[in-house]
Amino acid sequence: MIEWFRDIQWEHLFDPELAWESLPFLMQGLQITMLIALAGMVFSLLLGLVLAMGRMSKYRLLRWPARMYISFMRGTPLLVFLFILYYGLPVIGVQFPSAIVAGIVGISMNFAAYSAEVIRSAIMSVPRGQWESAASLQMNYWQTMRRVIIPQATRIALPPTTNIFLDIVKGTSLVSVITVHELLYSSRLVAAQSWDAMTMYITAALIYWAVCVVISYFQERLEVRYSRYLSKR
Amino acid sequence: MIEVNSLKKVFGDTTVLESIDFSVEKGEVVCLVGPSGSGKTTLLRCLNLLETPDGGTVTIGKKTMAFDGSGRVKKRDVNDMRTYTGMVFQGFHLFPHRTVMENIIEAPLTVQGRNRAELVREGEELLGKVGMLEHKDKYPDALSGGQQQRAAIARALMMQPEVMLFDEPTSALDPQTVGEVLRVMESLASEGLTMVIVTHEMNFARRVADKVLFMDGGYIVESGTPADVLENPKEARTREFLQLLEE
Ligand SMILES: Nc1ncnc2c1ncn2[C@@H]1O[C@H](COP(=O)(O)OP(=O)(O)O)[C@@H](O)[C@H]1O
Ligand SMILES: [Mg+2]
């Protein structure tokens, strides 16, 4: 045991010089990562909203497909879904204009399922009295949804939505497997050239971390803003 | 102003309202009393169609609706009916993410599309009347129960209903704030507003009501002036109930 520990070559753990020199190249990868992540957040949220509405609809014809969709996406690995989109679809003659687009589509469609569940439970956790008092004031379904329910549900959905966003950022690394030159892909290129996988992947990890810290920071700011109507008791 | 005939409401296989008949004249204050579970809330909610009746007819203002037990109603009819009524709930149900002022102008703003500045002016006047003007920029969470309920009354009044429905407006309040809400309601009554009030505040009912309806088991057991129903009840069940309240 002691032997094994003594044999670790700590001097090769991290080469700051290599990390620093490869940073500009990694930043190019990060741009792609952020493009995919941001598009993924926006589209998964929009699609999630639609799915949540479908899931809560009084019509079985809307409820049932939404339910199936959510079940499928939550029950299959994102990587497998990306393979279906990027390697599977061309077999039947459907081709994405680029791997990036395939990645965005895959991530959006997959995370929309999680987003739908968060949105649905947030909407359902707004007390029924809110619907009823709005109805007694002659507000219709959409007026109530838009002006009364969604603002309150947003506060409730904020922390779990941030979790989804963090998962999306980290999930973008999977699209490196379908040849997208994002952050992980770039790190792997440098790692192969420099023969220093440890430094490169640690650097990549730190960059992902930094992005997630920034997102968490915004969450906290938003949470304060959306909770300002609650007195601090 | 209100005319209810053979109103019936069923939940599953329990009949909660069994052939209810009553009427309310313009400017009248009607208090609805009775033991818990007797159907008072359900009756009130049938008047603004938060519940869909299963039989009978309801007329409020110029709108009459007949119910056939299918449970289906036209949105249009529901909207028409609701333009006549405002409702105050036991649990206030203010919009927590909006200030008092925002709460009370919300519906006239979004439903009627009225001018905001004009509404704010009207709102200030109304808040002054219910003693809430100084709290107009506070969120509901920072208010006492009595203050929230007064804001909720103002919110309902902003839609200029012809009838106000109150469902135990003081039952969720601390004893020390009950009075301020009852005083607001009393002043509305003296201005001639038509009101239907579910309440256990018998002194209030004696003082303010033109008519008292005693409900039990889904029926209106007894009705009449407060003196008739509360002082000289004819029915044994009414006497029992009033006795229980005094203990
Ligand atoms: N949504 C509902 N579903 C099933 N039963 C209900 C519902 N609302 C009320 N009830 C029943 O109807 C009866 C009358 O209730 P309610 O109108 O609330 O009485 P009250 O307001 O006089 O206390 C009660 O037995 C209650 O359990
Ligand atoms: Mg009740």
Side-chain angles (χ1 to χ4, degrees):
Chain A
M1 181 68 193
I2 300 285
E3 296 274 296
W4 170 84
F5 194 76
R6 206 181 47 209
D7 287 348
I8 293 180
Q9 299 159 25
W10 292 106
E11 68 277 15
H12 292 147
L13 179 65
F14 191 73
D15 177 355
E17 209 168 316
L18 175 62
W20 180 248
E21 275 166 6
S22 54
L23 212 49
F25 184 67
L26 295 188
M27 284 300 132
Q28 286 171 21
L30 180 64
Q31 277 179 22
I32 305 295
T33 291
M34 290 314 292
L35 170 70
I36 296 171
L38 290 175
M41 290 173 196
V42 172
F43 291 128
S44 66
L45 215 50
L46 291 177
L47 182 55
L49 195 59
V50 173
L51 284 166
M53 294 296 159
R55 184 89 162 68
M56 291 184 295
S57 168
K58 60 181 171 194
Y59 303 111
R60 194 178 317 171
L61 222 67
L62 294 177
R63 224 164 44 221
W64 196 78
R67 213 189 167 110
M68 281 301 294
Y69 180 98
I70 292 166
S71 167
F72 177 78
M73 285 301 178
R74 294 213 301 175
T76 51
L78 174 55
L79 190 55
V80 174
F81 186 58
L82 290 172
F83 278 13
I84 291 174
L85 290 182
Y86 193 67
Y87 299 116
L89 283 184
V91 175
I92 60 166
V94 180
Q95 195 108 35
F96 284 99
S98 75
I100 294 181
V101 175
I104 290 174
V105 169
I107 283 178
S108 302
M109 288 182 68
N110 192 268
F111 282 102
Y114 297 94
S115 183
E117 289 298 271
V118 164
I119 291 169
R120 184 177 72 100
S121 68
I123 286 176
M124 304 231 308
S125 66
V126 176
R128 209 176 51 141
Q130 294 289 305
W131 284 99
E132 294 187 339
S133 62
S136 77
L137 292 163
Q138 302 166 44
M139 294 174 74
N140 65 29
Y141 178 85
W142 283 110
Q143 289 165 341
T144 306
M145 205 48 148
R146 203 163 46 82
R147 307 276 304 175
V148 177
I149 305 301
I150 289 181
Q152 294 180 62
T154 303
R155 183 180 66 83
I156 298 164
L158 214 51
T161 301
T162 307
N163 282 340
I164 292 176
F165 283 1
L166 298 182
D167 282 339
I168 288 177
V169 169
K170 294 179 283 181
T172 56
S173 60
L174 289 175
V175 303
S176 65
V177 183
I178 58 168
T179 75
V180 177
H181 292 226
E182 43 65 82
L183 177 56
L184 181 60
Y185 193 97
S186 310
S187 315
R188 200 162 67 210
L189 287 183
V190 182
Q193 262 176 19
S194 62
W195 294 88
D196 189 349
M198 194 61 168
T199 294
M200 289 321 297
Y201 292 140
I202 286 181
T203 307
L206 292 176
I207 294 172
Y208 281 114
W209 187 24
V211 171
C212 289
V213 166
V214 171
I215 291 173
S216 305
Y217 169 77
F218 279 119
Q219 177 211 334
E220 278 163 29
R221 289 268 304 265
L222 274 176
E223 222 167 306
V224 169
R225 211 176 103 197
Y226 271 91
S227 306
R228 66 168 180 233
Y229 59 79
L230 301 172
S231 44
K232 291 139 209 92
R233 267 186 239 145
Chain B
M1 179 57 62
I2 301 181
E3 176 85 40
V4 173
N5 287 306
S6 316
L7 185 72
K8 187 178 169 187
K9 176 66 191 175
V10 180
F11 285 118
D13 47 8
T14 54
T15 304
V16 175
L17 297 178
E18 192 106 56
S19 192
I20 299 280
D21 296 287
F22 73 98
S23 62
V24 181
E25 301 303 317
K26 191 172 170 59
E28 245 183 351
V29 176
V30 173
C31 283
L32 209 52
V33 303
S36 164
S38 57
K40 306 180 298 294
T41 295
T42 306
L43 176 53
L44 218 54
R45 290 165 59 90
C46 281
L47 295 181
N48 71 350
L49 298 169
L50 285 180
E51 304 290 354
T52 305
D54 294 302
T57 62
V58 175
T59 303
I60 304 184
K62 294 189 182 67
K63 182 75 185 173
T64 300
M65 280 177 80
F67 304 95
D68 58 4
S70 69
R72 276 195 295 272
V73 281
K74 290 203 194 78
K75 268 202 189 118
R76 184 67 198 283
D77 290 333
V78 174
N79 285 340
D80 287 351
M81 198 70 138
R82 284 185 182 153
T83 59
Y84 290 101
T85 56
M87 191 168 206
V88 172
F89 301 83
Q90 185 175 344
F92 332 131
H93 303 330
L94 289 172
F95 305 134
H97 58 304
R98 305 217 181 274
T99 64
V100 168
M101 179 57 81
E102 290 167 347
N103 258 279
I104 70 170
I105 66 171
E106 174 62 40
L109 203 61
T110 46
V111 176
Q112 301 172 332
R114 293 181 52 200
N115 174 278
R116 178 185 282 270
E118 193 180 299
L119 285 170
V120 167
R121 229 175 305 123
E122 238 170 77
E124 281 174 351
E125 199 174 311
L126 195 50
L127 288 177
K129 239 170 72 176
V130 300
M132 285 294 293
L133 189 55
E134 57 179 316
H135 304 298
K136 72 182 168 70
D137 295 320
K138 291 189 184 161
Y139 288 99
D141 198 47
L143 302 173
S144 74
Q147 292 168 336
Q148 290 190 55
Q149 195 59 299
R150 285 182 284 144
I153 292 172
R155 180 177 67 170
L157 288 172
M158 281 297 281
M159 293 297 273
Q160 295 164 327
E162 304 207 9
V163 182
M164 281 285 278
L165 311 172
F166 294 83
D167 188 11
E168 299 196 30
T170 58
S171 293
L173 301 181
D174 293 332
Q176 66 267 29
T177 67
V178 168
E180 64 196 45
V181 172
L182 293 180
R183 271 194 297 280
V184 165
M185 292 168 61
E186 200 167 343
S187 82
L188 293 174
S190 68
E191 287 172 22
L193 185 65
T194 312
M195 309 202 279
V196 181
I197 305 166
V198 176
T199 186
H200 294 298
E201 300 287 338
M202 292 306 151
N203 290 327
F204 173 81
R206 267 186 209 104
R207 212 170 49 238
V208 180
D210 297 299
K211 195 154 73 185
V212 174
L213 310 180
F214 174 73
M215 278 187 79
D216 193 17
Y219 290 93
I220 293 178
V221 175
E222 191 164 353
S223 69
T225 64
D228 291 340
V229 178
L230 301 179
E231 313 304 336
N232 306 299
K234 287 191 201 63
E235 302 290 328
R237 276 189 284 179
T238 317
R239 279 198 292 273
E240 253 170 65
F241 171 73
L242 292 172
Q243 224 144 46
L244 274 175
L245 268 194
E246 277 172 27
E247 277 161 21

